[in-house]
Amino acid sequence: MSLKSRGEVLPSRSFVTQRWALLLCVASFCAGMLFTNRMWTVPEPKGLAQPTSAESEKLNLVSEGCNSRIMQETQDIYREAFKTHGSLQNLDKTISNLEMELAAARAAQESIRGGAPVPDDIRMSESSGKRKYLMVVGINTAFSSRKRRDSVRATWMPQGEKRKKLEEKGIIMRFVIGHSATSGGILDRAIEAEDRKHGDFLRLNHVEGYLELSAKTKTYFSTAVNLWDADFYVKVDDDVHVNIATLGDTLARHRSKPRVYIGCMKSGPVLSQKGVRYHEPEYWKFGENGNKYFRHATGQLYAISNDLATYISINENVLHKYANEDVSLGSWFIGLDVEHIDDRRLCCGTPPDCEWKAQAGNICVASFDWSCSGICRSADRMKEVHRRCGEGENVLWSASF
């Protein structure tokens, strides 16, 4: 008789099997934790071993060496590139200078062919090599300014043999004037007679007139740069006192600089009202009413380097003229790589201002009265200003530029 027939009930085999299976799983897991240390370790790829600390240091040293070498090579490349760029800039400047010299030589040749007078020192330089000067000083004057010219000759402008000696030191000085509206008239004949006596004029191919000062300035620089090869070209009014040695010393400090514009820089208001002094007919070009001009040197005295004078000579026909000549000159240099040098010794006041500065050892280059845009009653006061503010004649002849 079977157990079932006896009425006994046996436990279910499937139930016992599941429980034992669970126990076997837990036992296997625990055994794995006891006999292995790879529970959370990521297996290493075949063929790649973890580097030691010594090997890591070697790798870091090699990496740093490579980086420093790459940096050095990169710096060398940049350095060579900058050298090449600098060489190209120097070559470009040299070509530009040669082009300007060629244009100036052509302009001088055309001027001579057109019958322009050639000074004696230029004739001499043609046979013995062109003379190099420090500066050409053009003293702007008018037909009616004979007394002013005489006051300049009696004070700060050497005459006769002394003027020739000054030219040997590298300084050319001339009164600058054009022609009257009626060429060959009484005004021109008076200047010709005065020039025969003193020999200190530079005659321009220009018709004189107050409203033509901008045109006269262009013609002066163009003519001067074609006649004399100088480092600087100076324009000064005939009612201003100048210490020539101090001027020469001031300019000589900037001799090595290209494209230099030296003077007392200012930026005055643009005057749109008609009838006032220094009225600007083209005021609308400078923006709204009340605006100021761009920075430019005051017109009593300023100097420009040879490069800039040559630039004016080459582009004379296309340079725009404003009503005021100092504004015109400043406008011609806008857009050019020009160094503006503001030197207040070029615009001292008359005594006691220039006298106090001279006593303090700071001799002025130029002196005048701002209220008169020159020395007030200069024909009468020039000697007094020279006596009290002059550098002394011995300073000029002992100076070396």
Side-chain angles (χ1 to χ4, degrees):
M1 182 181 293
S2 65
L3 293 175
K4 186 175 180 179
S5 62
R6 292 179 183 175
E8 296 180 11
V9 180
L10 298 175
S12 171
R13 180 176 295 180
S14 62
F15 174 76
V16 174
T17 301
Q18 290 178 359
R19 185 171 60 182
W20 280 103
L22 179 61
L23 290 173
L24 287 173
C25 289
V26 172
S28 299
F29 179 76
C30 292
M33 291 182 65
L34 291 172
F35 296 106
T36 177
N37 60 355
R38 296 184 179 182
M39 180 177 177
W40 301 109
T41 303
V42 179
E44 296 179 355
K46 289 184 178 182
L48 296 177
Q50 186 74 19
T52 64
S53 59
E55 291 174 339
S56 298
E57 291 180 1
K58 290 181 179 180
L59 288 174
N60 289 334
L61 289 175
V62 172
S63 176
E64 291 176 0
C66 290
N67 289 336
S68 62
R69 186 177 65 187
I70 292 172
M71 288 291 292
Q72 183 63 39
E73 291 177 352
T74 303
Q75 291 176 357
D76 291 341
I77 292 172
Y78 277 120
R79 193 177 295 111
E80 290 299 324
F82 284 131
K83 287 181 180 178
T84 304
H85 181 67
S87 299
L88 290 175
Q89 283 185 326
N90 291 333
L91 180 60
D92 183 61
K93 290 180 180 179
T94 302
I95 293 173
S96 299
N97 290 336
L98 290 174
E99 288 177 345
M100 288 194 295
E101 290 178 6
L102 179 60
R106 287 174 177 172
Q109 187 177 22
E110 292 176 0
S111 178
I112 293 172
R113 287 177 178 176
V118 181
D120 293 337
D121 52 357
I122 300 301
R123 293 194 187 98
M124 180 180 64
S125 66
E126 289 176 352
S127 59
S128 60
K130 195 168 185 180
R131 171 76 183 275
K132 185 72 175 180
Y133 297 92
L134 169 64
M135 61 181 178
V136 175
V137 181
I139 307 169
N140 185 45
T141 191
F143 290 113
S144 60
S145 300
R146 174 62 187 266
K147 290 184 178 180
R148 287 186 179 181
R149 290 191 293 274
D150 287 340
S151 69
V152 170
R153 292 184 181 113
T155 52
W156 57 268
M157 182 182 184
Q159 293 296 296
E161 292 300 319
K162 288 185 177 181
R163 184 165 58 82
K164 293 181 180 180
K165 182 180 178 182
L166 187 63
E167 293 179 3
E168 293 174 359
K169 294 177 71 68
I171 300 175
I172 300 290
M173 298 180 67
R174 296 288 189 275
F175 287 107
V176 179
I177 196 168
H179 299 273
S180 65
T182 55
S183 182
I186 187 173
L187 296 177
D188 290 316
R189 292 198 300 271
I191 292 295
E192 291 168 1
E194 189 177 344
D195 192 25
R196 285 193 296 271
K197 179 179 179 180
H198 298 283
D200 55 5
F201 278 93
L202 172 61
R203 301 299 301 275
L204 304 178
N205 184 18
H206 166 79
V207 177
E208 285 290 323
Y210 180 77
L211 299 179
E212 298 298 327
L213 287 179
S214 294
K216 183 177 182 180
T217 301
K218 280 200 302 182
T219 305
Y220 159 61
F221 284 123
S222 299
T223 304
V225 77
N226 288 324
L227 291 178
W228 298 286
D229 182 15
D231 293 316
F232 295 96
Y233 298 86
V234 181
K235 177 264 176 182
V236 59
D237 290 338
D238 61 4
D239 55 355
V240 173
H241 179 267
V242 180
N243 284 316
I244 295 298
T246 308
L247 173 61
D249 181 65
T250 300
L251 298 183
R253 297 174 188 174
H254 306 288
R255 187 180 249 158
S256 61
K257 302 176 182 178
R259 298 178 300 280
V260 178
Y261 175 32
I262 306 172
C264 288
M265 299 296 164
K266 65 175 184 177
S267 180
V270 180
L271 302 179
S272 60
Q273 183 179 356
K274 291 184 178 180
V276 299
R277 192 179 186 185
Y278 306 127
H279 166 64
E280 178 56 70
E282 297 180 272
Y283 62 89
W284 58 273
K285 289 185 177 180
F286 299 91
E288 302 299 326
N289 288 337
N291 280 358
K292 293 185 176 181
Y293 288 112
F294 40 79
R295 286 283 173 186
H296 61 279
T298 186
Q300 284 80 5
L301 186 148
Y302 48 73
I304 62 175
S305 60
N306 186 290
D307 288 351
L308 297 182
T310 303
Y311 172 81
I312 293 174
S313 176
I314 295 172
N315 299 283
E316 181 179 4
N317 294 329
V318 296
L319 294 176
H320 184 71
K321 303 185 297 293
Y322 288 100
N324 302 303
E325 52 98 5
D326 52 352
V327 172
S328 295
L329 183 72
S331 72
W332 299 337
F333 302 148
I334 291 179
L336 301 182
D337 186 13
V338 175
E339 181 178 357
H340 291 58
I341 297 177
D342 182 21
D343 192 334
R344 310 315 290 183
R345 293 181 304 155
L346 274 66
C347 54
C348 295
T350 55
D353 179 50
C354 59
E355 187 176 21
W356 289 341
K357 291 176 179 176
Q359 292 172 354
N362 188 22
I363 298 177
C364 294
V365 173
S367 304
F368 56 88
D369 298 309
W370 283 103
S371 59
C372 297
S373 297
I375 297 176
C376 298
R377 297 180 290 104
S378 65
D380 300 324
R381 296 182 56 224
M382 185 68 75
K383 287 185 178 181
E384 176 197 358
V385 175
H386 184 67
R387 178 178 59 83
R388 298 173 65 178
C389 300
E391 60 195 354
E393 187 174 359
N394 293 333
V395 175
L396 177 60
W397 303 122
S398 62
S400 177
F401 307 109

